[in-house]
Amino acid sequence: MAFVLLRPTTATVSFPLKLKHPTSKSRKMAIKIINSSSNTTSTGDNGNRKLPILLFDIMDTIVRDPFYHDVPVFFRMPMEELLECKHPTAWIEFEKGLINETELARKFFKDGRDFDLEGLKNCMRRGYSYIEGVEGLLRALKQNNYEMHAFTNYPIWYEMIEDKLKLSTFLSWTFCSCTIGKRKPEPDFYLEVLRHLDVEPASCVFIDDRMRNVEAAEDVGIVGLHFKNADSLRQDLSLLGIDI
């Protein structure tokens, strides 16, 4: 499956103003500052662009992650044993696009044991589902014309997620680690996002269930939100003045 990525038009105004790099300690103050201004639309060569741009982690932020819920059952071992047996870097290499799935199967376990790769993929596919309440939230944001992008650590199997859940209805699969060759929380992955979007960091809001990734976004000036559930995210976005 191929996804065509179109470079967005250039924005010249940050959302809704330039902020100092927010940290987790100063997040409430950042929300207060942002909420004091209205959303800004900037005009580029090809038309209007509504800000802020929303960057979403995928696994356990939008989509249930089968690795933690279903894969230990597939391998018939507790998660602790699975983590001990699997190769320490094979999945990371797969996420960065450095190895393909055949190579992943060869080195997934440290001892090189064989396993049913297609069975694992089917297990993952069955386990993909929207986290409760998130699909409706994405639909509301899409209806309000927000630009949304995936910003996720995931291998080429993101195509299985797309096939099943059609996330491209709401967002673009623009920033996947397997196509960019970088992973969160590597700072250069965040900087690559900003280079591609051609916006000020404070023009972006990043949502992730892992606080480490949120803090890395805040370190480069992106507004970060820690995902807990759809209701709390809806409240956090509203506090930022985002129409839902």
Side-chain angles (χ1 to χ4, degrees), residues 8-122:
T9 57
T10 301
T12 57
V13 181
S14 60
F15 158 72
L17 71 168
K18 294 182 181 179
L19 298 175
K20 294 181 179 179
H21 293 184
T23 64
S24 56
K25 293 182 179 180
S26 64
R27 180 172 169 274
K28 289 184 179 179
M29 181 61 69
I31 289 175
K32 182 177 180 181
I33 294 171
I34 292 173
N35 195 40
S36 68
S37 300
S38 59
N39 291 358
T40 304
T41 302
S42 61
T43 302
D45 294 337
N46 297 318
N48 293 329
R49 188 180 192 185
K50 186 172 184 177
L51 299 176
I53 296 169
L54 304 179
L55 305 170
F56 281 91
D57 171 57
I58 299 300
M59 305 313 297
D60 279 342
T61 299
I62 291 179
V63 176
R64 175 183 180 272
D65 190 345
F67 182 81
Y68 297 100
H69 303 286
D70 304 330
V71 171
V73 176
F74 171 80
F75 284 117
R76 298 181 181 178
M77 61 178 71
M79 174 59 78
E80 295 78 8
E81 183 181 350
L82 175 60
L83 294 176
E84 176 62 28
C85 292
K86 76 180 187 66
H87 191 281
T89 64
W91 183 261
I92 292 173
E93 293 169 20
F94 190 37
E95 282 191 335
K96 295 180 77 169
L98 300 177
I99 61 174
N100 59 31
E101 63 180 34
T102 301
E103 294 169 308
L104 173 72
R106 180 177 57 81
K107 63 186 299 187
F108 185 86
F109 287 105
K110 289 187 289 189
D111 60 11
R113 73 185 75 172
D114 291 331
F115 68 92
D116 180 4
L117 177 63
E118 288 305 314
L120 175 61
K121 291 173 66 176
N122 288 334

Side-chain angles (χ1 to χ4, degrees), residues 118-146:
E118 288 305 314
L120 175 61
K121 291 173 66 176
N122 288 334
C123 171
M124 300 285 281
R125 189 181 292 107
R126 287 192 301 270
Y128 294 138
S129 62
Y130 280 101
I131 290 176
E132 184 179 359
V134 170
E135 185 178 10
L137 177 57
L138 292 175
R139 181 172 291 107
L141 291 167
K142 180 71 172 180
Q143 289 172 346
N144 284 322
N145 299 315
Y146 284 101

Side-chain angles (χ1 to χ4, degrees), residues 19-24 26-28 30-31 34 53 55 190 201-202 204-208 210-211 213-228 233 236-237 240:
L19 298 175
K20 294 181 179 179
H21 293 184
T23 64
S24 56
S26 64
R27 180 172 169 274
K28 289 184 179 179
I31 289 175
I34 292 173
I53 296 169
L55 305 170
Y190 296 84
C204 298
V205 176
F206 171 61
I207 302 101
D208 197 305
R210 297 194 175 191
M211 194 63 199
N213 294 337
V214 174
E215 291 171 346
E218 293 175 339
D219 285 343
V220 300
I222 295 171
V223 178
L225 296 177
H226 184 209
F227 178 82
K228 303 176 190 68
L233 177 57
D236 287 344
L237 291 173
L240 292 175

